[in-house]
Amino acid sequence: MLEAAGFTVAEAATGAQATETARSVRPRLVLLDIQLPDIDGFEVARRLATEAGGPVIVLTSTREAADYGGLIAASPAAGFLPKDELSGAALREFLPADSP
Amino acid sequence: MTRRLLAAALGAVAAVIFQVAVIYSQRPFPLLIVTVISVAVGASFLLAGLAAWHRWPASRLGLLFTVTGYAWVVPSLAHLPYALPFTVGNLIASVYAASLAHLALAWPTGRLRSRFECGVVIAVYAWNTLQSLVSMLFWNPATSGCGPGCPANLLLASDSPAVERVFDQISVPVGLSLSAIVLTLIFRHWWRARGWSRRAMVALVWISVAVIALSVAQTVASNLNLADSSLLLYGIAPVILLTGPALFVVSTLLARTARGALGTAIVDLQPGAPPEMLRDALARALGDSTLQLAFRVPGSAGYLDTAGQSVDPGQLGPGRALTALPAVSDALLVHDQALQQEPQLVRLTASAASMALEHARLQAEVRAQLEQVRASRARIVEAGDAERRRLERDLHDGAQQRLVTLSLALGMAREQAAGADPALQSLLDSAGQEAREALVELRELARGIHPAVLTETGLAGALQALAERSTVATTIAEVPGRRYPAAVEATAYFVVSEALANVAKHALTDAAVVAIRELPGRLLVAVTDDGAGGARPDGGSGLRGLADRVASVGGVLTIDSPPGAGTRLAAEIPCP
């Protein structure tokens, strides 16, 4: 769906892989599931944010934002999108206006 | 009353009548006070003998009191105006002193303690007899101390006052020495006695000092021929002898006091008090500081008392006795042997100890059962919680994921169908809308089963989410950031959730304050509103269920809700 919307996508299945992939690919945006098989999405977001030129991070989950209380606001992520509201247009909202 | 006791009672009555008759056979009549004292001393010993026989049938004390009584009464024969009774009466006039010494040395069990003491008692009797016999051989009543009206001394061998005087001078130091030995032994008994025996010895020590002082005074007076003092010393001073039977009265009172004190001690003993407190209470009440309460060491034949000392029921040591407790097979009482003389008191003590131990055992059993019930209730609630968490996770991982995927696919289909058939677009729009609504409903359902936010973020995040969704403006005044055991977090969460739902439904207000404070060992959860009040703990199944839920983790739910003055629902939940 994201490729159809014009994104170039690199996938990672776990939190550790996501950190690795982000370091090598240097994406502009990371769509990060909160529930991962190893560490949780909040922890991955914290690790990515400490790296220079960190990407824009958007958290996502099958659950609602309210199910995570203040954790989303406290994380360095730019925002949260419920999975059922995912779309290229919704993601683009998080990118700076001047980007292609 | 047994036949033997009846015979003894008749004998005592006859003895008293005989004594009065004999005394009044004299001319002129003796002084009334002297007669009264003399009869009272004999009668009181005989009475004490009867009572002691009745009360302590296994002991020889009754016999000793009785013998002393007769030894006092029978010498009254000397008052008869005939030579034979006169001679016999004078010969046995001081046997009572020997049996008094015997009684004192055998106190309080009725048994002499050693061969040496048996020897001392035999020596006292022998010396007493010898002294009387020798005196009689040389005493002529017509010329010395009695006068020409006196009957003859049938034993007179030689009318020699000089020999009599010499013998008297020899006998004084021997008699005083024997008195000193008896007194020393009595003091030694008192000094060595512990517990009940010591208590029983106290009165005897005082009485012995008085009686021996009397006997010494009589000896000295008779040797100095102080005729002026004979009325006082031989007629009135023997009133001191009444203290002998008083021993019996004192020991009866001691036993009675101890019985009363036992009852009070057991009533005052706190339910479930530890065995050492029970021992102390029984020992104090009994007046036996040596009392031991011993329990069988599990898996062995040995016993340990409450002070941790080993007790061997086969080898108790001298002066100790053992009493089994009725209904408590693994405990024993070890006490002063002298207490066995009061079997009723021992039985009462054993029953009291059994009752208290049985009470403590039952209480411990009930407490253990309650603890089991509490633990099983907590386990049931925890299992329920775990099951709800599993259901929520299954919904999330299964149906919710599929609906999300379906929703996304419908969204993509809608994008790809852009510009195509408007009927198809409208159909895809409505299908997407349905899928989203199904997802919302499913999330509500899952949250009702178990709030995922509680598992994910703990109390702070979960309460924030609860406050945001609540229709009442909720302020979280205080909430600790740390995590607690799942059961504690779930209970605290459900308290707040139920309280906020109640505020929304019944309180007629739109504001509530939630505060969770951690105190040492417990979590205090409070939800306060300024609404209508008047809520009752038994008012609805919601609050009752909540109270059960809080109790399942060992907590307490309280509601303070005066009509018109708001409601404060508070739960105190124990937590590590």
Side-chain angles (χ1 to χ4, degrees), chain A residues 2 5 10 12 15 21 26 51 54 57 64-65 73 77-78 94 96-97:
Chain A
L2 293 179
T21 311
R26 298 221 157 254
E51 299 187 3
I57 300 164
E64 287 180 290
F94 290 99

Side-chain angles (χ1 to χ4, degrees), chain B residues 104-109 111-118 189-190 193 197 201:
Chain B
L105 287 176
W107 191 263
T109 59
R111 279 187 301 275
L112 291 170
R113 291 164 173 79
S114 65
R115 278 168 181 269
F116 172 72
E117 295 192 8
C118 283
H189 293 168
W190 169 75
S197 294
M201 287 297 297

Side-chain angles (χ1 to χ4, degrees), chain B residues 129-455:
Chain B
T129 312
L130 179 72
Q131 192 197 13
S132 300
L133 190 63
V134 174
S135 287
M136 293 299 283
L137 288 176
F138 301 103
W139 177 52
N140 185 352
T143 57
S144 155
C146 184
C150 259
N153 172 6
L154 295 179
L155 288 173
L156 183 66
S158 156
D159 183 2
S160 168
V163 177
E164 193 198 348
R165 221 173 3 259
V166 170
F167 180 70
D168 278 350
Q169 278 166 1
I170 299 169
S171 72
V172 168
V174 178
L176 287 179
S177 305
L178 281 173
S179 297
I181 291 173
V182 169
L183 194 61
T184 310
L185 286 174
I186 291 170
F187 266 104
R188 194 158 159 261
H189 293 168
W190 169 75
W191 182 254
R192 288 188 161 186
R194 295 285 175 272
W196 179 263
S197 294
R198 190 177 184 105
R199 215 176 173 190
M201 287 297 297
V202 174
L204 177 69
V205 167
W206 290 108
I207 290 168
S208 308
V209 170
V211 170
I212 286 183
L214 171 69
S215 126
V216 169
Q218 283 177 341
T219 312
V220 172
S222 96
N223 277 280
L224 296 178
N225 284 326
L226 299 176
D228 295 346
S229 58
S230 66
L231 174 66
L232 184 69
L233 272 175
Y234 295 93
I236 297 174
V239 78
I240 288 173
L241 294 177
L242 285 173
T243 52
L247 263 182
F248 173 79
V249 177
V250 168
S251 64
T252 307
L253 287 179
L254 278 182
R256 185 159 296 180
T257 312
R259 278 209 296 275
L262 265 179
T264 317
I266 292 302
V267 170
D268 287 350
L269 198 66
Q270 284 184 342
E276 58 269 24
M277 276 180 74
L278 171 63
R279 189 225 75 102
D280 292 349
L282 292 176
R284 258 198 316 277
L286 265 185
D288 182 357
S289 57
T290 66
L291 185 80
Q292 289 170 289
L293 183 57
F295 294 89
R296 188 192 289 278
V297 181
S300 99
Y303 285 79
L304 276 184
D305 74 3
T306 48
Q309 293 210 315
S310 138
V311 172
D312 181 354
Q315 289 184 325
L316 288 178
R320 309 293 293 154
L322 180 139
T323 299
L325 297 187
V328 183
S329 57
D330 57 352
L332 298 171
L333 276 182
V334 180
H335 51 82
D336 192 278
Q337 201 172 24
L339 249 185
Q340 278 183 322
Q341 207 159 316
E342 304 287 353
Q344 211 189 345
L345 192 56
V346 174
R347 257 200 314 278
L348 193 69
T349 311
S351 306
S354 296
M355 205 168 67
L357 289 175
E358 188 66 1
H359 185 186
R361 188 183 68 74
L362 286 175
Q363 211 174 32
E365 212 167 85
V366 167
R367 248 203 309 271
Q369 279 174 353
L370 261 180
E371 183 51 36
Q372 274 176 6
V373 169
R374 203 199 65 75
S376 93
R377 181 162 69 165
R379 278 198 303 276
I380 290 169
V381 171
E382 272 172 33
D385 279 354
E387 188 58 16
R388 290 163 82 125
R389 274 198 299 277
R390 189 186 66 74
L391 271 175
E392 190 276 337
R393 214 172 31 247
D394 284 356
L395 279 178
H396 171 257
D397 295 345
Q400 239 167 303
Q401 291 284 15
R402 285 175 191 280
L403 273 175
V404 165
T405 313
L406 175 66
S407 187
L408 284 175
L410 285 170
M412 283 162 73
R414 172 71 181 77
E415 272 175 33
Q416 283 177 20
D421 183 1
L424 178 64
Q425 283 183 29
S426 152
L427 195 61
L428 286 172
D429 277 344
S430 115
Q433 185 61 29
E434 284 293 322
R436 273 193 297 281
E437 279 172 16
L439 198 56
V440 168
E441 281 176 19
L442 196 59
R443 277 181 183 142
E444 275 304 312
L445 178 66
R447 194 178 292 121
I449 291 171
H450 182 82
V453 62
L454 187 63
T455 321

Side-chain angles (χ1 to χ4, degrees), chain B residues 9-22 39 42 46 69-70 73-74 76:
Chain B
L10 289 175
V13 171
V16 170
I17 293 171
F18 159 80
Q19 196 186 13
V20 173
V22 165
V39 171
L46 291 171
Y70 281 112
V73 171
V74 176
S76 303

